[in-house]
Amino acid sequence: MMTEKYQYRLYGRTRGRSNKKINLEDYKKKLNKFKIVKLDKKKDYILDIGTGYGETSIYLSKKYPERTVIACEKYIDGNIKLLKKIDRYNLKNIKIFDGNVNKILEELNIEQYFNAVWIFFPDPWPKKKHFKRRLLTSAFLKKLHTFLKSKGRICIATDSVSYTRSILNIIFENKNLFEWLNQTQAYLSVKDVYDIETKFYKKAINSGRNPVLFILEKI
Ligand SMILES: C[S@@+](CC[C@H](N)C(=O)[O-])C[C@H]1O[C@@H](n2cnc3c(N)ncnc32)[C@H](O)[C@@H]1O
């Protein structure tokens, strides 16, 4: 599936800070069972980008048992947690892509596969000189648009004020492609709509920040 022309750079960690040893061979073997072989545009998928410790993927899998959730995460410690939870809850509708989301999008045929794309707390890269590392750009939103089914949705949560500002600009630049469904409720928070608390949601709340939720629908 992987191609040589692939050239997106990934920033951030792929391993946790603990020195806990991981048997990579065993990890890869376990991951292999959840590998995406081929997507079928007649089926229903949710792309969960940067699932971290897998909370969003588990939540989506239970909430939408008739859909397949594609958990996309490069963080090995997070994927190990996700694998354990899939096993614990005996979930059958999760696939895992252990790498950069741009890689999977590049390798897919351009078809309308996704009913929804979730991006919960994308890395904020708060320093101005690092803004260019951010996942959410106008070009990325356009790319997602081509893979979404008609009326497909993108859910974005963030607690970063500067990222929120940039997302607002991106939404404005793409107003002919997406309708911002909750624009009259810009104060809308994650828990007003979804009963989920991810690690980064809790971190935000504990630090006194109320995460903002954006729900966009493909026009
Ligand atoms: C701030 S964490 C949020 C984790 C989780 N969604 C949550 O709410 O707790 C962002 C996650 O996105 C992952 N990530 C960043 N860029 C990515 C990319 N291009 N493709 C896939 N995952 C990515 C990081 O590894 C990290 O685990």
Side-chain angles (χ1 to χ4, degrees), residues 77-105:
D77 302 52
N79 283 337
I80 290 174
K81 281 234 161 78
L82 174 60
L83 285 166
K84 282 189 185 146
K85 285 182 207 160
I86 292 175
D87 202 33
R88 186 184 316 147
Y89 302 118
N90 194 24
L91 300 170
K92 305 287 183 206
N93 62 335
I94 299 185
K95 298 277 176 204
I96 302 175
F97 180 76
D98 65 325
N100 190 333
V101 63
N102 284 298
K103 190 159 119 188
I104 188 171
L105 295 179

PDB file of all heavy atoms in Angstrom, residues 77-105:
ATOM      1  N   ASP A  77       2.347   4.097  22.108  1.00  0.00           N
ATOM      2  CA  ASP A  77       1.757   3.835  23.433  1.00  0.00           C
ATOM      3  C   ASP A  77       0.226   3.964  23.379  1.00  0.00           C
ATOM      4  O   ASP A  77      -0.494   3.209  24.028  1.00  0.00           O
ATOM      5  CB  ASP A  77       2.308   4.810  24.485  1.00  0.00           C
ATOM      6  CG  ASP A  77       3.816   4.725  24.601  1.00  0.00           C
ATOM      7  OD1 ASP A  77       4.488   4.818  23.553  1.00  0.00           O
ATOM      8  OD2 ASP A  77       4.331   4.565  25.718  1.00  0.00           O
ATOM      9  N   GLY A  78      -0.238   4.934  22.588  1.00  0.00           N
ATOM     10  CA  GLY A  78      -1.682   5.139  22.436  1.00  0.00           C
ATOM     11  C   GLY A  78      -2.323   3.957  21.726  1.00  0.00           C
ATOM     12  O   GLY A  78      -3.365   3.445  22.159  1.00  0.00           O
ATOM     13  N   ASN A  79      -1.689   3.498  20.662  1.00  0.00           N
ATOM     14  CA  ASN A  79      -2.254   2.375  19.906  1.00  0.00           C
ATOM     15  C   ASN A  79      -2.290   1.092  20.743  1.00  0.00           C
ATOM     16  O   ASN A  79      -3.211   0.285  20.598  1.00  0.00           O
ATOM     17  CB  ASN A  79      -1.453   2.142  18.626  1.00  0.00           C
ATOM     18  CG  ASN A  79      -1.789   3.174  17.562  1.00  0.00           C
ATOM     19  OD1 ASN A  79      -2.873   3.769  17.597  1.00  0.00           O
ATOM     20  ND2 ASN A  79      -0.886   3.412  16.629  1.00  0.00           N
ATOM     21  N   ILE A  80      -1.306   0.940  21.619  1.00  0.00           N
ATOM     22  CA  ILE A  80      -1.303  -0.254  22.477  1.00  0.00           C
ATOM     23  C   ILE A  80      -2.512  -0.209  23.414  1.00  0.00           C
ATOM     24  O   ILE A  80      -3.210  -1.202  23.606  1.00  0.00           O
ATOM     25  CB  ILE A  80       0.034  -0.356  23.263  1.00  0.00           C
ATOM     26  CG1 ILE A  80       1.141  -0.710  22.269  1.00  0.00           C
ATOM     27  CG2 ILE A  80      -0.050  -1.382  24.400  1.00  0.00           C
ATOM     28  CD1 ILE A  80       2.539  -0.719  22.829  1.00  0.00           C
ATOM     29  N   LYS A  81      -2.787   0.984  23.948  1.00  0.00           N
ATOM     30  CA  LYS A  81      -3.978   1.149  24.816  1.00  0.00           C
ATOM     31  C   LYS A  81      -5.251   0.849  24.018  1.00  0.00           C
ATOM     32  O   LYS A  81      -6.154   0.177  24.497  1.00  0.00           O
ATOM     33  CB  LYS A  81      -4.057   2.581  25.358  1.00  0.00           C
ATOM     34  CG  LYS A  81      -3.154   2.853  26.513  1.00  0.00           C
ATOM     35  CD  LYS A  81      -3.958   3.435  27.694  1.00  0.00           C
ATOM     36  CE  LYS A  81      -3.219   3.300  29.008  1.00  0.00           C
ATOM     37  NZ  LYS A  81      -2.167   4.258  29.247  1.00  0.00           N
ATOM     38  N   LEU A  82      -5.285   1.364  22.781  1.00  0.00           N
ATOM     39  CA  LEU A  82      -6.475   1.147  21.947  1.00  0.00           C
ATOM     40  C   LEU A  82      -6.667  -0.352  21.682  1.00  0.00           C
ATOM     41  O   LEU A  82      -7.787  -0.866  21.790  1.00  0.00           O
ATOM     42  CB  LEU A  82      -6.327   1.925  20.623  1.00  0.00           C
ATOM     43  CG  LEU A  82      -7.408   1.695  19.573  1.00  0.00           C
ATOM     44  CD1 LEU A  82      -8.794   2.083  20.090  1.00  0.00           C
ATOM     45  CD2 LEU A  82      -7.124   2.490  18.296  1.00  0.00           C
ATOM     46  N   LEU A  83      -5.596  -1.043  21.362  1.00  0.00           N
ATOM     47  CA  LEU A  83      -5.684  -2.490  21.101  1.00  0.00           C
ATOM     48  C   LEU A  83      -6.276  -3.218  22.318  1.00  0.00           C
ATOM     49  O   LEU A  83      -7.127  -4.097  22.177  1.00  0.00           O
ATOM     50  CB  LEU A  83      -4.296  -3.056  20.777  1.00  0.00           C
ATOM     51  CG  LEU A  83      -3.752  -2.726  19.377  1.00  0.00           C
ATOM     52  CD1 LEU A  83      -2.257  -3.032  19.287  1.00  0.00           C
ATOM     53  CD2 LEU A  83      -4.508  -3.482  18.294  1.00  0.00           C
ATOM     54  N   LYS A  84      -5.830  -2.808  23.521  1.00  0.00           N
ATOM     55  CA  LYS A  84      -6.329  -3.453  24.748  1.00  0.00           C
ATOM     56  C   LYS A  84      -7.827  -3.210  24.917  1.00  0.00           C
ATOM     57  O   LYS A  84      -8.582  -4.101  25.286  1.00  0.00           O
ATOM     58  CB  LYS A  84      -5.579  -2.913  25.971  1.00  0.00           C
ATOM     59  CG  LYS A  84      -4.192  -3.528  26.103  1.00  0.00           C
ATOM     60  CD  LYS A  84      -3.577  -3.147  27.439  1.00  0.00           C
ATOM     61  CE  LYS A  84      -2.142  -3.676  27.475  1.00  0.00           C
ATOM     62  NZ  LYS A  84      -1.235  -2.804  28.213  1.00  0.00           N
ATOM     63  N   LYS A  85      -8.246  -1.954  24.617  1.00  0.00           N
ATOM     64  CA  LYS A  85      -9.663  -1.618  24.808  1.00  0.00           C
ATOM     65  C   LYS A  85     -10.545  -2.339  23.780  1.00  0.00           C
ATOM     66  O   LYS A  85     -11.650  -2.763  24.092  1.00  0.00           O
ATOM     67  CB  LYS A  85      -9.872  -0.108  24.694  1.00  0.00           C
ATOM     68  CG  LYS A  85      -9.378   0.654  25.913  1.00  0.00           C
ATOM     69  CD  LYS A  85      -9.654   2.140  25.740  1.00  0.00           C
ATOM     70  CE  LYS A  85      -8.683   2.991  26.507  1.00  0.00           C
ATOM     71  NZ  LYS A  85      -8.605   4.357  26.043  1.00  0.00           N
ATOM     72  N   ILE A  86     -10.039  -2.480  22.570  1.00  0.00           N
ATOM     73  CA  ILE A  86     -10.814  -3.192  21.535  1.00  0.00           C
ATOM     74  C   ILE A  86     -11.062  -4.621  22.007  1.00  0.00           C
ATOM     75  O   ILE A  86     -12.164  -5.168  21.874  1.00  0.00           O
ATOM     76  CB  ILE A  86     -10.045  -3.197  20.183  1.00  0.00           C
ATOM     77  CG1 ILE A  86      -9.967  -1.787  19.609  1.00  0.00           C
ATOM     78  CG2 ILE A  86     -10.698  -4.157  19.186  1.00  0.00           C
ATOM     79  CD1 ILE A  86      -9.121  -1.667  18.337  1.00  0.00           C
ATOM     80  N   ASP A  87     -10.026  -5.187  22.594  1.00  0.00           N
ATOM     81  CA  ASP A  87     -10.108  -6.549  23.097  1.00  0.00           C
ATOM     82  C   ASP A  87     -11.090  -6.630  24.278  1.00  0.00           C
ATOM     83  O   ASP A  87     -11.973  -7.472  24.318  1.00  0.00           O
ATOM     84  CB  ASP A  87      -8.687  -6.941  23.543  1.00  0.00           C
ATOM     85  CG  ASP A  87      -8.537  -8.440  23.575  1.00  0.00           C
ATOM     86  OD1 ASP A  87      -9.182  -9.090  22.742  1.00  0.00           O
ATOM     87  OD2 ASP A  87      -7.804  -8.938  24.443  1.00  0.00           O
ATOM     88  N   ARG A  88     -10.943  -5.668  25.207  1.00  0.00           N
ATOM     89  CA  ARG A  88     -11.786  -5.676  26.405  1.00  0.00           C
ATOM     90  C   ARG A  88     -13.264  -5.576  26.056  1.00  0.00           C
ATOM     91  O   ARG A  88     -14.107  -6.276  26.607  1.00  0.00           O
ATOM     92  CB  ARG A  88     -11.391  -4.515  27.323  1.00  0.00           C
ATOM     93  CG  ARG A  88     -12.127  -4.566  28.655  1.00  0.00           C
ATOM     94  CD  ARG A  88     -11.826  -3.365  29.548  1.00  0.00           C
ATOM     95  NE  ARG A  88     -10.427  -3.009  29.598  1.00  0.00           N
ATOM     96  CZ  ARG A  88      -9.992  -1.747  29.736  1.00  0.00           C
ATOM     97  NH1 ARG A  88     -10.850  -0.748  29.821  1.00  0.00           N
ATOM     98  NH2 ARG A  88      -8.708  -1.478  29.776  1.00  0.00           N
ATOM     99  N   TYR A  89     -13.586  -4.691  25.118  1.00  0.00           N
ATOM    100  CA  TYR A  89     -14.995  -4.485  24.769  1.00  0.00           C
ATOM    101  C   TYR A  89     -15.441  -5.347  23.592  1.00  0.00           C
ATOM    102  O   TYR A  89     -16.570  -5.215  23.115  1.00  0.00           O
ATOM    103  CB  TYR A  89     -15.272  -3.011  24.467  1.00  0.00           C
ATOM    104  CG  TYR A  89     -14.929  -2.085  25.613  1.00  0.00           C
ATOM    105  CD1 TYR A  89     -13.968  -1.102  25.476  1.00  0.00           C
ATOM    106  CD2 TYR A  89     -15.574  -2.221  26.843  1.00  0.00           C
ATOM    107  CE1 TYR A  89     -13.642  -0.243  26.523  1.00  0.00           C
ATOM    108  CE2 TYR A  89     -15.251  -1.377  27.900  1.00  0.00           C
ATOM    109  CZ  TYR A  89     -14.284  -0.398  27.734  1.00  0.00           C
ATOM    110  OH  TYR A  89     -13.968   0.429  28.773  1.00  0.00           O
ATOM    111  N   ASN A  90     -14.535  -6.170  23.099  1.00  0.00           N
ATOM    112  CA  ASN A  90     -14.837  -7.072  21.992  1.00  0.00           C
ATOM    113  C   ASN A  90     -15.449  -6.328  20.784  1.00  0.00           C
ATOM    114  O   ASN A  90     -16.483  -6.721  20.258  1.00  0.00           O
ATOM    115  CB  ASN A  90     -15.784  -8.170  22.510  1.00  0.00           C
ATOM    116  CG  ASN A  90     -15.881  -9.324  21.539  1.00  0.00           C
ATOM    117  OD1 ASN A  90     -14.961  -9.543  20.736  1.00  0.00           O
ATOM    118  ND2 ASN A  90     -16.989 -10.042  21.579  1.00  0.00           N
ATOM    119  N   LEU A  91     -14.790  -5.260  20.403  1.00  0.00           N
ATOM    120  CA  LEU A  91     -15.308  -4.436  19.305  1.00  0.00           C
ATOM    121  C   LEU A  91     -14.821  -4.980  17.958  1.00  0.00           C
ATOM    122  O   LEU A  91     -13.668  -5.368  17.826  1.00  0.00           O
ATOM    123  CB  LEU A  91     -14.862  -2.980  19.492  1.00  0.00           C
ATOM    124  CG  LEU A  91     -15.351  -2.345  20.789  1.00  0.00           C
ATOM    125  CD1 LEU A  91     -14.694  -1.003  21.033  1.00  0.00           C
ATOM    126  CD2 LEU A  91     -16.874  -2.208  20.776  1.00  0.00           C
ATOM    127  N   LYS A  92     -15.732  -4.987  17.008  1.00  0.00           N
ATOM    128  CA  LYS A  92     -15.403  -5.605  15.718  1.00  0.00           C
ATOM    129  C   LYS A  92     -15.342  -4.584  14.576  1.00  0.00           C
ATOM    130  O   LYS A  92     -15.091  -4.961  13.439  1.00  0.00           O
ATOM    131  CB  LYS A  92     -16.491  -6.651  15.350  1.00  0.00           C
ATOM    132  CG  LYS A  92     -16.721  -7.710  16.402  1.00  0.00           C
ATOM    133  CD  LYS A  92     -15.566  -8.690  16.441  1.00  0.00           C
ATOM    134  CE  LYS A  92     -15.829  -9.792  17.459  1.00  0.00           C
ATOM    135  NZ  LYS A  92     -14.588 -10.377  17.967  1.00  0.00           N
ATOM    136  N   ASN A  93     -15.634  -3.339  14.884  1.00  0.00           N
ATOM    137  CA  ASN A  93     -15.747  -2.374  13.776  1.00  0.00           C
ATOM    138  C   ASN A  93     -14.664  -1.289  13.830  1.00  0.00           C
ATOM    139  O   ASN A  93     -14.917  -0.135  13.495  1.00  0.00           O
ATOM    140  CB  ASN A  93     -17.147  -1.738  13.778  1.00  0.00           C
ATOM    141  CG  ASN A  93     -17.430  -0.961  15.045  1.00  0.00           C
ATOM    142  OD1 ASN A  93     -16.835  -1.233  16.087  1.00  0.00           O
ATOM    143  ND2 ASN A  93     -18.312   0.007  14.969  1.00  0.00           N
ATOM    144  N   ILE A  94     -13.463  -1.665  14.270  1.00  0.00           N
ATOM    145  CA  ILE A  94     -12.355  -0.683  14.287  1.00  0.00           C
ATOM    146  C   ILE A  94     -11.189  -1.210  13.457  1.00  0.00           C
ATOM    147  O   ILE A  94     -10.815  -2.380  13.564  1.00  0.00           O
ATOM    148  CB  ILE A  94     -11.871  -0.389  15.722  1.00  0.00           C
ATOM    149  CG1 ILE A  94     -13.011   0.198  16.560  1.00  0.00           C
ATOM    150  CG2 ILE A  94     -10.671   0.566  15.707  1.00  0.00           C
ATOM    151  CD1 ILE A  94     -12.605   0.638  17.965  1.00  0.00           C
ATOM    152  N   LYS A  95     -10.662  -0.350  12.617  1.00  0.00           N
ATOM    153  CA  LYS A  95      -9.418  -0.622  11.895  1.00  0.00           C
ATOM    154  C   LYS A  95      -8.399   0.406  12.389  1.00  0.00           C
ATOM    155  O   LYS A  95      -8.774   1.506  12.806  1.00  0.00           O
ATOM    156  CB  LYS A  95      -9.605  -0.442  10.382  1.00  0.00           C
ATOM    157  CG  LYS A  95     -10.610  -1.391   9.776  1.00  0.00           C
ATOM    158  CD  LYS A  95      -9.965  -2.698   9.490  1.00  0.00           C
ATOM    159  CE  LYS A  95     -10.950  -3.720   8.963  1.00  0.00           C
ATOM    160  NZ  LYS A  95     -10.489  -5.090   9.221  1.00  0.00           N
ATOM    161  N   ILE A  96      -7.122   0.047  12.315  1.00  0.00           N
ATOM    162  CA  ILE A  96      -6.103   0.992  12.796  1.00  0.00           C
ATOM    163  C   ILE A  96      -5.087   1.281  11.698  1.00  0.00           C
ATOM    164  O   ILE A  96      -4.582   0.354  11.052  1.00  0.00           O
ATOM    165  CB  ILE A  96      -5.363   0.430  14.029  1.00  0.00           C
ATOM    166  CG1 ILE A  96      -6.365   0.124  15.152  1.00  0.00           C
ATOM    167  CG2 ILE A  96      -4.298   1.413  14.528  1.00  0.00           C
ATOM    168  CD1 ILE A  96      -5.759  -0.560  16.376  1.00  0.00           C
ATOM    169  N   PHE A  97      -4.841   2.558  11.526  1.00  0.00           N
ATOM    170  CA  PHE A  97      -3.754   2.971  10.634  1.00  0.00           C
ATOM    171  C   PHE A  97      -2.709   3.653  11.509  1.00  0.00           C
ATOM    172  O   PHE A  97      -2.960   4.721  12.064  1.00  0.00           O
ATOM    173  CB  PHE A  97      -4.270   3.922   9.544  1.00  0.00           C
ATOM    174  CG  PHE A  97      -3.169   4.348   8.622  1.00  0.00           C
ATOM    175  CD1 PHE A  97      -2.682   3.470   7.656  1.00  0.00           C
ATOM    176  CD2 PHE A  97      -2.587   5.594   8.734  1.00  0.00           C
ATOM    177  CE1 PHE A  97      -1.637   3.844   6.825  1.00  0.00           C
ATOM    178  CE2 PHE A  97      -1.547   5.974   7.901  1.00  0.00           C
ATOM    179  CZ  PHE A  97      -1.071   5.101   6.945  1.00  0.00           C
ATOM    180  N   ASP A  98      -1.544   3.033  11.667  1.00  0.00           N
ATOM    181  CA  ASP A  98      -0.551   3.554  12.628  1.00  0.00           C
ATOM    182  C   ASP A  98       0.433   4.489  11.939  1.00  0.00           C
ATOM    183  O   ASP A  98       1.623   4.216  11.866  1.00  0.00           O
ATOM    184  CB  ASP A  98       0.182   2.407  13.323  1.00  0.00           C
ATOM    185  CG  ASP A  98       1.025   1.586  12.373  1.00  0.00           C
ATOM    186  OD1 ASP A  98       0.614   1.413  11.220  1.00  0.00           O
ATOM    187  OD2 ASP A  98       2.119   1.140  12.779  1.00  0.00           O
ATOM    188  N   GLY A  99      -0.084   5.579  11.440  1.00  0.00           N
ATOM    189  CA  GLY A  99       0.819   6.528  10.789  1.00  0.00           C
ATOM    190  C   GLY A  99       0.133   7.848  10.529  1.00  0.00           C
ATOM    191  O   GLY A  99      -0.913   8.156  11.103  1.00  0.00           O
ATOM    192  N   ASN A 100       0.766   8.616   9.675  1.00  0.00           N
ATOM    193  CA  ASN A 100       0.302   9.948   9.333  1.00  0.00           C
ATOM    194  C   ASN A 100      -0.963   9.856   8.474  1.00  0.00           C
ATOM    195  O   ASN A 100      -0.989   9.145   7.470  1.00  0.00           O
ATOM    196  CB  ASN A 100       1.422  10.633   8.536  1.00  0.00           C
ATOM    197  CG  ASN A 100       1.179  12.098   8.316  1.00  0.00           C
ATOM    198  OD1 ASN A 100       0.047  12.555   8.283  1.00  0.00           O
ATOM    199  ND2 ASN A 100       2.257  12.842   8.159  1.00  0.00           N
ATOM    200  N   VAL A 101      -1.978  10.593   8.848  1.00  0.00           N
ATOM    201  CA  VAL A 101      -3.243  10.570   8.092  1.00  0.00           C
ATOM    202  C   VAL A 101      -3.028  10.937   6.619  1.00  0.00           C
ATOM    203  O   VAL A 101      -3.688  10.410   5.733  1.00  0.00           O
ATOM    204  CB  VAL A 101      -4.296  11.492   8.749  1.00  0.00           C
ATOM    205  CG1 VAL A 101      -3.852  12.941   8.729  1.00  0.00           C
ATOM    206  CG2 VAL A 101      -5.624  11.345   8.067  1.00  0.00           C
ATOM    207  N   ASN A 102      -2.071  11.824   6.366  1.00  0.00           N
ATOM    208  CA  ASN A 102      -1.834  12.224   4.975  1.00  0.00           C
ATOM    209  C   ASN A 102      -1.389  11.041   4.116  1.00  0.00           C
ATOM    210  O   ASN A 102      -1.654  11.000   2.928  1.00  0.00           O
ATOM    211  CB  ASN A 102      -0.770  13.324   4.924  1.00  0.00           C
ATOM    212  CG  ASN A 102      -1.359  14.642   5.347  1.00  0.00           C
ATOM    213  OD1 ASN A 102      -2.271  15.153   4.708  1.00  0.00           O
ATOM    214  ND2 ASN A 102      -0.873  15.181   6.444  1.00  0.00           N
ATOM    215  N   LYS A 103      -0.722  10.111   4.783  1.00  0.00           N
ATOM    216  CA  LYS A 103      -0.245   8.928   4.077  1.00  0.00           C
ATOM    217  C   LYS A 103      -1.429   8.072   3.617  1.00  0.00           C
ATOM    218  O   LYS A 103      -1.500   7.672   2.467  1.00  0.00           O
ATOM    219  CB  LYS A 103       0.655   8.147   5.042  1.00  0.00           C
ATOM    220  CG  LYS A 103       1.425   7.029   4.422  1.00  0.00           C
ATOM    221  CD  LYS A 103       2.612   6.703   5.303  1.00  0.00           C
ATOM    222  CE  LYS A 103       2.570   5.299   5.821  1.00  0.00           C
ATOM    223  NZ  LYS A 103       3.584   5.009   6.809  1.00  0.00           N
ATOM    224  N   ILE A 104      -2.367   7.818   4.514  1.00  0.00           N
ATOM    225  CA  ILE A 104      -3.521   6.988   4.152  1.00  0.00           C
ATOM    226  C   ILE A 104      -4.361   7.696   3.072  1.00  0.00           C
ATOM    227  O   ILE A 104      -4.804   7.069   2.116  1.00  0.00           O
ATOM    228  CB  ILE A 104      -4.365   6.564   5.378  1.00  0.00           C
ATOM    229  CG1 ILE A 104      -5.419   5.557   4.955  1.00  0.00           C
ATOM    230  CG2 ILE A 104      -5.028   7.694   6.080  1.00  0.00           C
ATOM    231  CD1 ILE A 104      -6.152   4.933   6.116  1.00  0.00           C
ATOM    232  N   LEU A 105      -4.503   9.008   3.181  1.00  0.00           N
ATOM    233  CA  LEU A 105      -5.303   9.730   2.183  1.00  0.00           C
ATOM    234  C   LEU A 105      -4.611   9.694   0.825  1.00  0.00           C
ATOM    235  O   LEU A 105      -5.253   9.598  -0.206  1.00  0.00           O
ATOM    236  CB  LEU A 105      -5.555  11.175   2.629  1.00  0.00           C
ATOM    237  CG  LEU A 105      -6.412  11.330   3.886  1.00  0.00           C
ATOM    238  CD1 LEU A 105      -6.562  12.800   4.249  1.00  0.00           C
ATOM    239  CD2 LEU A 105      -7.790  10.690   3.725  1.00  0.00           C
TER     240      LEU A 105
END
